[in-house]
Each structure stands twice: as structure tokens, then as C-alpha cells.
Amino acid sequence: MNAIVVLISGNGSNLQAIIDGCAKGTIPGKITGVIANKASAYGLQRATAAGIATRVVSHKDYSDRASYDKALQQAIEGFAPSLVVLAGFMRILTPAFVQHFSGKLLNIHPSLLPKYQGLNTHQRAIDAGDTEHGCSVHFVTEQLDGGPVILQAKVPIFPGDDASTVAERVHEQEHLIYPLVVRWFCQNRLQQRGNEAWLDGNLLSVQG
Ligand code: GAR
């Protein structure tokens, strides 16, 4: 059984989708720990309700990014994961951290990457007049929001939408594609090879 560690900063609705996938057996894995950088992250309550161990590693307790990431790495290793899932974990990670977990570190980003890396993606898509938006699951590399994409889902943007209506639409898709990618990983079907993502021996994408 694959051990999965999920990192969160907030609501944890993607965490919940993965908890549900494990409970239903569609994901052949077990979440051994959930780690947040904020004690107030609601996702910690979701984890506790599901009987999953939690830890808070607060960035406020560390003077610099390198020492924080080292502590975070140790906390993660304490749960012995074969997969580390970033689910709304709103921290930039150091190259050392990313390299340590290379090949087993996934992220979900609320845009159709490579468009709208960074923050405020829904508003930026609306402001640009886009009629299409979405979300992407990718392997994490040292390039922020730049690792090879595994799966994307598209949603429409309608006239009159605001960032919250678009976010809701995107979230629905996130809750479908993230558990699916985690399932693929746990089935040993998904691999990162350098800057490339592969599924079932087929090249999915190359980091741009
Ligand atoms: C999700 O929309 C995810 O794509 C985004 O944070 C949200 C977390 O929601 N991640 C990022 O913006 C990462 N750069 P959740 O806490 O309900 O899962």
C-alpha cells in the first residue's frame, strides 16, 4: 500500500477528495499524514475526522526558507511516504526540498499551465477576457508552477462570472483530476523522467 503525505495551507477540499478516493478504494494508497504550515488550516480538521495523523510545521518558527524546508522535509519523512501531494500548500519550496522528493512530488494549480503561474489565477483569466480556464496537476520541479503537466481540466468562463464563481467551477474539476492522478501514481503507472511526465509508457508532457 502506498503511503501518501498531503501538505495543505487552508480549506483542504482537494485533500478531502483524496481522502474519499482512498476510502472508496479507487486510490490504492493510504494517507499516513497531513502537514500544514498553519494551525488554522481547516483541512487539519478534515484529516482528524478521517483518523489521519496531522502535524503543523509553522513557517513562523523558522528564520529562513532553507531551515523551514529542512524541518518540513523531516516531518514528511516521519510519515515514510512514497508520494507527497501538495494540495493548496501556499509556500514556495527550495531547490533542495524539491530535489529531495523529485519524482514523487505532485502539485495542483488553478490554471491551464503554462498560463497564469503564481497567484490570483481566476481574476487574471477574467481580466484577460479568457473564455476558457481550468486546473493542472503536475510534477513539481525547481521551476515554480513549471513542472511537467500530467492532467488538465478545462472550464468555461461566462460573461458575468467573478473570481468566486470561476473558482467554484475549477474546484469541481480539481476534485476529479487530483484523485485520478494520485490513483495513477499509486498504480505505478505514472513517472517523472527528468523534465518529462510519463503515463503507461507514453510521454504526456515536457517541462516548457
Ligand atoms: C486549489 O484551488 C489549488 O489549485 C490552489 O489552492 C486551492 C486549494 O484549495 N493551489 C494553488 O494556488 C497553488 N499555487 P483546497 O484547500 O480547498 O484544496
Side-chain angles (χ1 to χ4, degrees):
M1 188 65 84
N2 289 274
I4 304 166
V5 168
V6 183
L7 271 55
I8 59 167
S9 295
N11 181 24
S13 66
N14 281 285
L15 163 67
Q16 188 68 57
I18 296 166
I19 290 173
D20 294 347
C22 292
K24 279 185 293 189
T26 50
I27 296 173
K30 178 178 166 38
I31 302 177
T32 52
V34 170
I35 301 174
N37 63 318
K38 294 176 182 176
S40 60
Y42 179 66
L44 291 169
Q45 294 182 42
R46 297 180 187 269
T48 301
I52 299 167
T54 63
R55 273 204 62 181
V56 176
V57 186
S58 172
H59 52 279
K60 293 190 177 152
D61 294 339
Y62 298 86
S63 56
D64 58 57
R65 209 173 272 285
S67 56
Y68 176 75
D69 278 10
K70 205 159 187 193
L72 185 62
Q73 184 179 311
Q74 279 169 2
I76 294 169
E77 289 298 0
F79 292 115
S82 49
L83 175 64
V84 180
V85 172
L86 307 180
F89 188 66
M90 304 305 278
R91 296 267 318 163
I92 293 172
L93 297 162
T94 55
F97 179 96
V98 171
Q99 276 159 22
H100 181 83
F101 292 108
S102 179
K104 56 177 185 178
L105 187 57
L106 298 176
N107 184 44
I108 190 156
H109 185 77
S111 76
L112 295 173
L113 291 172
K115 281 185 117 174
Y116 308 125
Q117 299 171 350
L119 299 174
N120 302 318
T121 56
H122 308 311
Q123 192 59 53
R124 285 158 67 201
I126 292 168
D127 291 348
D130 293 359
T131 54
E132 194 173 74
H133 185 49
C135 47
S136 308
V137 178
H138 64 95
F139 280 113
V140 177
T141 63
E142 289 176 37
Q143 198 180 315
L144 181 68
D145 297 331
V149 170
I150 298 160
L151 188 61
Q152 294 183 313
K154 291 180 180 171
V155 301
I157 296 180
F158 298 118
D161 267 337
D162 60 22
S164 70
T165 56
V166 172
E168 199 177 320
R169 213 170 287 139
V170 169
H171 260 115
E172 268 177 37
Q173 296 303 314
E174 291 189 333
H175 302 160
L176 297 176
I177 68 170
Y178 216 0
L180 180 58
V181 170
V182 171
R183 171 185 162 91
W184 289 343
F185 189 94
C186 291
Q187 290 174 325
N188 291 320
R189 297 168 57 189
L190 189 62
Q191 287 166 339
Q192 180 184 355
R193 297 184 198 161
N195 289 338
E196 300 169 350
W198 289 73
L199 177 69
D200 295 336
N202 299 307
L203 179 62
L204 293 174
S205 73
V206 182
Q207 177 171 318

